[in-house]
Amino acid sequence: MGPERGTMKRKNRIQSMVLLLILALLLTATATASGSNTLTIYKVVNASGSHLLHEYPIGASTPMPDAIYRIWRVGDVDRSTDQGGYDAQLAQLNTLSVTELDETYPDPKDKLSAPTDANGKTVFADLPEGRYYVREVEEKGGAYLTASTSIPFLVDLPYLLDGKLLSELSVHPKANKPEIPDEPDEPPKGGEKFIKVDDKGVGLEGARFKLMQRVKDEEGKIMVDASGAYIYEPVLRDGKE
């Protein structure tokens, strides 16, 4: 009986260890799905636009460094949401300011990304499972305001792609190069050459000219006098004729 009891005890220990190992693997898988999601953002500009999930934009593209993103967990994952539902929720979130979003959606605690690097890349790591709203921001006067160079987006983490759940996802938000205002156009400048001649066409030395212009009223209409002739006034430069 002694050896049999010892064998049974060893079997029980082995079974217990196997069960504990299986439980540990299940807990690890659950934690990976619910609390270790990574969102990588690549800000690039290319001719066809971006906003691609888990693939790189087709065609030539220009990375945009030094962009900063802010993230909010706006709800739980809902796999039944169709494109219309995403669009409606996104449109509603786009109406809120950064401050309003912070007050309404306090998670996650670390909302701000590091600036994008030379490849236009920045990463949000260790994100719990949920639906996330991401917007590019810029700092002005100690506060973060919405940037105008990229379009906000919604994403569920983990992301479902071809029947597989991805806890690591890359996104390429639609982006535009910052608009640089055009230099104001200077008023057009012109000129004319004058030659004073006598009745035989011979040039006369020492002639001087006075430049006059037609007078206009407040509505921009050219004025005439009682006889119907145009009214003229001297053209001034630096207050002088």
Side-chain angles (χ1 to χ4, degrees):
M1 294 293 291
E4 291 180 359
R5 288 181 179 176
T7 301
M8 290 182 65
K9 286 182 178 179
R10 285 195 296 273
K11 288 183 177 179
N12 289 337
R13 284 198 298 269
I14 293 172
Q15 289 176 350
S16 297
M17 292 174 64
V18 171
L19 288 173
L20 289 173
L21 180 60
I22 293 173
L23 181 59
L25 291 172
L26 288 173
L27 290 175
T28 301
T30 303
T32 300
S34 62
S36 300
N37 297 285
T38 300
L39 179 66
T40 302
I41 297 174
Y42 292 91
K43 183 176 181 183
V44 297
V45 176
N46 72 340
S48 61
S50 299
H51 216 177
L52 304 178
L53 296 177
H54 218 60
E55 59 183 85
Y56 202 81
I58 298 173
S61 59
T62 304
M64 302 294 289
D66 301 322
I68 299 175
Y69 289 86
R70 203 165 181 86
I71 190 169
W72 297 268
R73 187 183 185 280
V74 295
D76 297 328
V77 173
D78 183 0
R79 305 292 181 197
S80 66
T81 306
D82 59 12
Q83 189 59 49
Y86 278 110
D87 292 343
Q89 186 175 7
L90 186 61
Q92 187 273 326
L93 291 167
N94 288 347
T95 64
L96 302 178
S97 67
V98 172
T99 301
E100 290 171 331
L101 287 165
D102 287 346
E103 293 173 350
T104 308
Y105 306 104
D107 294 327
K109 301 299 181 184
D110 297 328
K111 286 185 166 50
L112 209 61
S113 76
T116 53
D117 61 17
N119 296 315
K121 175 184 176 181
T122 190
V123 178
F124 286 104
D126 298 324
L127 296 172
E129 178 178 324
R131 178 166 295 177
Y132 289 89
Y133 174 68
V134 184
R135 179 188 291 183
E136 186 185 352
V137 295
E138 55 189 7
E139 185 177 8
K140 289 186 178 180
Y144 286 97
L145 306 176
T146 301
S148 60
T149 54
S150 66
I151 299 174
F153 64 92
L154 272 175
V155 63
D156 284 339
L157 296 175
Y159 184 70
L160 182 62
L161 179 65
D162 298 331
K164 297 180 181 179
L165 289 176
L166 303 179
S167 60
E168 297 184 359
L169 181 69
S170 61
V171 180
H172 300 79
K174 290 181 179 177
N176 302 302
K177 290 184 178 179
E179 292 186 3
I180 300 175
D182 296 331
E183 293 290 335
D185 294 332
E186 293 185 1
K189 296 179 180 179
E192 188 61 71
K193 294 180 179 180
F194 297 90
I195 299 176
K196 178 68 174 179
V197 295
D198 59 17
D199 55 0
K200 297 181 180 179
V202 178
L204 297 176
E205 185 179 356
R208 301 182 66 186
F209 296 86
K210 184 174 183 180
L211 189 61
M212 307 290 289
Q213 64 183 351
R214 294 173 181 173
V215 177
K216 297 180 180 179
D217 61 17
E218 294 180 354
E219 297 180 355
K221 296 180 180 180
I222 297 175
M223 299 178 64
V224 295
D225 59 18
S227 65
Y230 292 121
I231 302 174
Y232 289 89
E233 63 182 0
V235 175
L236 304 179
R237 174 179 291 178
D238 298 328
K240 298 179 180 179
E241 294 182 3

